[in-house]
Every structure is written in structure tokens, then in C-alpha cells.
Amino acid sequence: MTNTTTNTAATTATTTTENGLVLVLGGTGKTGRRVVERLEALDVPVRMGSRSADPGFDWTDEATWAPVLQGVQAVYLSYYPDLAAPGAPEAIGAFTAAAAAAGVRRVVLLSGRGEEEARACEQVVQDCGLEWTIV
């Protein structure tokens, strides 16, 4: 299993996916839309994860998680509202467990490196059993 901490983004989601479907959570947001654009430029199939996407995704509604994870090989995970928010480690843990159960192989976490609150979420990702990268 390859696990890394890095300062780069989009292509890290594809390192082991062999151009499988990549889910970009927050795909309409500031960093997510750039990751989507970069992956599309590399001809990597992308599914956007947002409330306005089809299927929709909402961090507060676990019923939306399984549909967006179907057929996904890797996930670019940006957590809304912020990794420092109360309950973030628990939500990240539940989501990565659902991702593993759905057959996802890799998770790339967008984190606030050096932020104490973000560290708990980084640890959850590192312990989830999937290949991981933290950016």
C-alpha cells in the first residue's frame, strides 16, 4: 500500500486508479473545481460530489454517500465546512468506512497542514485501511 503526505493535488488521486472513476467532493468549490478541470484534462473520468450534482452529495445526509461512491476508485476529499469543525473526524471516519465498503482504493484528503484540529482528520484517513495521500 502506498501512502503519502504531499503538497500536490489532482494527479495524486490517479496514481493507483488506472484512470478509474474519481469522485471529487466539493467539486464545485474553490479547489475542487480545479481538481475536476485537471483530471478532465488528463482524460480521467470524474464524478463531482456536491449537493447540486447528480447524484447529489451532502455531508450531513449519509443516504447520499452510497450513490456517489458507486463505481469509484479514488476520492478527492475536501470536508465542508472545515476539518476543524466539531464532528469532522467522525464524519470523515464514517465516510472513509463507506468508501472502503464500496470498493474505493484511494483517498486524497485536502487538509490544513499544521493545524491541530486537522491533524485528527488526517489520522482518521491514515488509519482507514485505504491508500491515502494528504495535501
Side-chain angles (χ1 to χ4, degrees):
M1 186 176 311
T2 304
N3 298 316
T4 57
T5 302
T6 183
N7 291 323
T8 61
T11 56
T12 60
T14 63
T15 26
T16 61
T17 63
E18 300 170 7
N19 287 342
L21 183 60
V22 176
L23 170 63
V24 179
L25 296 180
T28 59
K30 188 172 167 180
T31 61
R33 76 171 170 257
R34 291 179 181 143
V35 172
V36 168
E37 290 170 2
R38 185 96 182 254
L39 291 170
E40 288 175 339
L42 296 170
D43 292 324
V44 175
V46 177
R47 175 177 293 149
M48 297 222 302
S50 72
R51 289 183 298 258
S52 62
D54 185 23
F57 174 83
D58 187 336
W59 276 108
T60 63
D61 183 0
E62 290 187 31
T64 66
W65 299 1
V68 297
L69 287 168
Q70 187 173 17
V72 169
Q73 299 253 331
V75 176
Y76 175 83
L77 195 161
S78 61
Y79 181 75
Y80 179 83
D82 188 80
L83 292 179
E90 294 80 10
I92 300 288
F95 182 80
T96 55
V104 171
R105 293 174 37 195
R106 171 177 280 294
V107 62
V108 176
L109 175 69
L110 175 63
S111 180
R113 299 295 296 153
E115 293 178 7
E116 186 59 37
E117 297 88 356
R119 183 68 190 118
C121 294
E122 292 174 12
Q123 193 61 55
V124 167
V125 168
Q126 291 168 345
D127 295 339
C128 76
L130 300 172
E131 295 178 17
W132 55 268
T133 300
I134 297 172
V135 293

